[in-house]
Amino acid sequence: MESNTTQDNLQQVILVAQGFYARKDRAHDLEHALRVREWGKLLAEGDGADATVIELAALLHDIGRSGVEKTHAESSAGLAVNILHKTGYSEEIVLRVRDAILTHSREVGHEPNTLEAKILYDADKLDFVGAIGLGRLFAMGGVEGWPLVGENSCETFYLEKICGYQNHLYTKAAKDHFEPLFLFMEKFWHELHAERLKLVLSGQAT
Ligand SMILES: [Fe+2]
Ligand SMILES: [Fe+2]
């Protein structure tokens, strides 16, 4: 009975989150939140972390996002508190979810300091590497009007943000998962530049 209620509450949260994410760019939609939830569950395995806190935080972590502004962690955390109160979660869970969401982005100086917050932070970054990461990067570039390469481009975001994640992960499990996915992205950019160079050279030869 209790697990049914837990499932009902979770479904309710997903439904509300879906409404918020429907208005976001495709890099930060419900699919992103659901993948972060799966990464979170994977990273939490055997670590003694609270799976409910991670799951709820993952589902709601980007609901307050509206573009590339730096304070979305704060707006998401505020919205999450309201949603979880209305859904009937205990104050203890609500506050732990709020703290995890608040620190999933370090852009305004917040540092994750609980195990659940560290796992949410890492899970979010793992969704920005590999083929999925590239897909999200270009989806974001489309919304922001970024060119592929050059100034203020998809590649700039890759070099300045995504490359930096490798030195700022908190859990060993996340570092292990990150590495091969990151190498795939490195190869992609290498290949992209090789193709561009080939075109330039063939243009010079004609
Ligand atoms: Fe975020
Ligand atoms: Fe996110």
PDB file of all heavy atoms in Angstrom, residues 28 32 61-62 65 72-73 76 104-105 124-125, ligand 1:
ATOM      1  N   HIS A  28      17.065  20.524 -22.351  1.00  0.00           N
ATOM      2  CA  HIS A  28      16.685  20.547 -20.934  1.00  0.00           C
ATOM      3  C   HIS A  28      15.212  20.203 -20.774  1.00  0.00           C
ATOM      4  O   HIS A  28      14.461  20.910 -20.111  1.00  0.00           O
ATOM      5  CB  HIS A  28      16.989  21.926 -20.325  1.00  0.00           C
ATOM      6  CG  HIS A  28      18.437  22.261 -20.352  1.00  0.00           C
ATOM      7  ND1 HIS A  28      19.033  22.904 -21.412  1.00  0.00           N
ATOM      8  CD2 HIS A  28      19.430  21.994 -19.468  1.00  0.00           C
ATOM      9  CE1 HIS A  28      20.324  23.036 -21.170  1.00  0.00           C
ATOM     10  NE2 HIS A  28      20.587  22.497 -20.010  1.00  0.00           N
ATOM     11  N   HIS A  32      15.736  14.776 -20.614  1.00  0.00           N
ATOM     12  CA  HIS A  32      16.990  15.050 -19.900  1.00  0.00           C
ATOM     13  C   HIS A  32      16.824  14.698 -18.414  1.00  0.00           C
ATOM     14  O   HIS A  32      17.657  14.006 -17.827  1.00  0.00           O
ATOM     15  CB  HIS A  32      17.385  16.516 -20.075  1.00  0.00           C
ATOM     16  CG  HIS A  32      18.422  17.005 -19.107  1.00  0.00           C
ATOM     17  ND1 HIS A  32      19.683  16.443 -18.997  1.00  0.00           N
ATOM     18  CD2 HIS A  32      18.379  17.997 -18.164  1.00  0.00           C
ATOM     19  CE1 HIS A  32      20.371  17.063 -18.048  1.00  0.00           C
ATOM     20  NE2 HIS A  32      19.609  17.996 -17.524  1.00  0.00           N
ATOM     21  N   HIS A  61      15.237  19.103 -11.265  1.00  0.00           N
ATOM     22  CA  HIS A  61      16.402  19.994 -11.111  1.00  0.00           C
ATOM     23  C   HIS A  61      16.461  21.152 -12.112  1.00  0.00           C
ATOM     24  O   HIS A  61      17.075  22.173 -11.829  1.00  0.00           O
ATOM     25  CB  HIS A  61      17.715  19.192 -11.154  1.00  0.00           C
ATOM     26  CG  HIS A  61      18.153  18.771 -12.516  1.00  0.00           C
ATOM     27  ND1 HIS A  61      17.590  17.713 -13.196  1.00  0.00           N
ATOM     28  CD2 HIS A  61      19.106  19.275 -13.347  1.00  0.00           C
ATOM     29  CE1 HIS A  61      18.181  17.580 -14.367  1.00  0.00           C
ATOM     30  NE2 HIS A  61      19.100  18.524 -14.493  1.00  0.00           N
ATOM     31  N   ASP A  62      15.822  21.010 -13.282  1.00  0.00           N
ATOM     32  CA  ASP A  62      15.898  22.088 -14.283  1.00  0.00           C
ATOM     33  C   ASP A  62      14.550  22.759 -14.562  1.00  0.00           C
ATOM     34  O   ASP A  62      14.424  23.483 -15.554  1.00  0.00           O
ATOM     35  CB  ASP A  62      16.464  21.532 -15.604  1.00  0.00           C
ATOM     36  CG  ASP A  62      17.993  21.533 -15.642  1.00  0.00           C
ATOM     37  OD1 ASP A  62      18.609  22.323 -14.898  1.00  0.00           O
ATOM     38  OD2 ASP A  62      18.568  20.734 -16.404  1.00  0.00           O
ATOM     39  N   ARG A  65      14.440  26.548 -15.283  1.00  0.00           N
ATOM     40  CA  ARG A  65      15.372  27.056 -16.285  1.00  0.00           C
ATOM     41  C   ARG A  65      14.650  27.830 -17.381  1.00  0.00           C
ATOM     42  O   ARG A  65      13.608  27.419 -17.859  1.00  0.00           O
ATOM     43  CB  ARG A  65      16.087  25.854 -16.910  1.00  0.00           C
ATOM     44  CG  ARG A  65      17.393  26.176 -17.522  1.00  0.00           C
ATOM     45  CD  ARG A  65      17.968  24.955 -18.211  1.00  0.00           C
ATOM     46  NE  ARG A  65      18.844  25.438 -19.236  1.00  0.00           N
ATOM     47  CZ  ARG A  65      20.131  25.664 -19.039  1.00  0.00           C
ATOM     48  NH1 ARG A  65      20.685  25.375 -17.899  1.00  0.00           N
ATOM     49  NH2 ARG A  65      20.868  26.167 -20.001  1.00  0.00           N
ATOM     50  N   HIS A  72      19.317  29.406 -12.503  1.00  0.00           N
ATOM     51  CA  HIS A  72      18.179  28.493 -12.635  1.00  0.00           C
ATOM     52  C   HIS A  72      18.125  27.446 -11.524  1.00  0.00           C
ATOM     53  O   HIS A  72      17.061  26.923 -11.227  1.00  0.00           O
ATOM     54  CB  HIS A  72      18.163  27.817 -14.011  1.00  0.00           C
ATOM     55  CG  HIS A  72      19.140  26.698 -14.134  1.00  0.00           C
ATOM     56  ND1 HIS A  72      20.465  26.891 -14.402  1.00  0.00           N
ATOM     57  CD2 HIS A  72      18.994  25.355 -13.995  1.00  0.00           C
ATOM     58  CE1 HIS A  72      21.084  25.721 -14.440  1.00  0.00           C
ATOM     59  NE2 HIS A  72      20.213  24.773 -14.199  1.00  0.00           N
ATOM     60  N   ALA A  73      19.267  27.135 -10.897  1.00  0.00           N
ATOM     61  CA  ALA A  73      19.254  26.148  -9.813  1.00  0.00           C
ATOM     62  C   ALA A  73      18.398  26.685  -8.664  1.00  0.00           C
ATOM     63  O   ALA A  73      17.650  25.928  -8.022  1.00  0.00           O
ATOM     64  CB  ALA A  73      20.677  25.876  -9.340  1.00  0.00           C
ATOM     65  N   SER A  76      14.671  26.629  -9.779  1.00  0.00           N
ATOM     66  CA  SER A  76      14.195  25.235  -9.803  1.00  0.00           C
ATOM     67  C   SER A  76      13.958  24.737  -8.369  1.00  0.00           C
ATOM     68  O   SER A  76      12.957  24.059  -8.094  1.00  0.00           O
ATOM     69  CB  SER A  76      15.219  24.319 -10.463  1.00  0.00           C
ATOM     70  OG  SER A  76      15.424  24.677 -11.801  1.00  0.00           O
ATOM     71  N   HIS A 104      23.258  21.835  -7.947  1.00  0.00           N
ATOM     72  CA  HIS A 104      23.582  21.033  -9.133  1.00  0.00           C
ATOM     73  C   HIS A 104      24.326  21.868 -10.181  1.00  0.00           C
ATOM     74  O   HIS A 104      24.843  21.341 -11.158  1.00  0.00           O
ATOM     75  CB  HIS A 104      22.339  20.374  -9.737  1.00  0.00           C
ATOM     76  CG  HIS A 104      21.588  21.217 -10.716  1.00  0.00           C
ATOM     77  ND1 HIS A 104      20.604  22.097 -10.353  1.00  0.00           N
ATOM     78  CD2 HIS A 104      21.685  21.338 -12.065  1.00  0.00           C
ATOM     79  CE1 HIS A 104      20.130  22.701 -11.417  1.00  0.00           C
ATOM     80  NE2 HIS A 104      20.771  22.262 -12.484  1.00  0.00           N
ATOM     81  N   SER A 105      24.352  23.181  -9.985  1.00  0.00           N
ATOM     82  CA  SER A 105      25.107  24.071 -10.855  1.00  0.00           C
ATOM     83  C   SER A 105      26.029  24.888  -9.968  1.00  0.00           C
ATOM     84  O   SER A 105      25.596  25.426  -8.942  1.00  0.00           O
ATOM     85  CB  SER A 105      24.134  24.985 -11.610  1.00  0.00           C
ATOM     86  OG  SER A 105      24.822  26.088 -12.132  1.00  0.00           O
ATOM     87  N   ASP A 124      23.929  14.871 -13.691  1.00  0.00           N
ATOM     88  CA  ASP A 124      23.585  15.944 -14.645  1.00  0.00           C
ATOM     89  C   ASP A 124      24.714  16.132 -15.666  1.00  0.00           C
ATOM     90  O   ASP A 124      24.460  16.313 -16.858  1.00  0.00           O
ATOM     91  CB  ASP A 124      23.346  17.229 -13.840  1.00  0.00           C
ATOM     92  CG  ASP A 124      22.794  18.360 -14.686  1.00  0.00           C
ATOM     93  OD1 ASP A 124      21.955  18.089 -15.570  1.00  0.00           O
ATOM     94  OD2 ASP A 124      23.199  19.516 -14.453  1.00  0.00           O
ATOM     95  N   LYS A 125      25.957  16.069 -15.203  1.00  0.00           N
ATOM     96  CA  LYS A 125      27.090  16.286 -16.108  1.00  0.00           C
ATOM     97  C   LYS A 125      27.264  15.102 -17.065  1.00  0.00           C
ATOM     98  O   LYS A 125      27.696  15.272 -18.199  1.00  0.00           O
ATOM     99  CB  LYS A 125      28.396  16.505 -15.316  1.00  0.00           C
ATOM    100  CG  LYS A 125      28.315  17.631 -14.288  1.00  0.00           C
ATOM    101  CD  LYS A 125      27.796  18.915 -14.872  1.00  0.00           C
ATOM    102  CE  LYS A 125      27.324  19.916 -13.832  1.00  0.00           C
ATOM    103  NZ  LYS A 125      26.021  19.652 -13.223  1.00  0.00           N
TER     104      LYS A 125
HETATM  105 FE    FE B   1      20.649  22.714 -14.574  1.00  0.00          FE
END
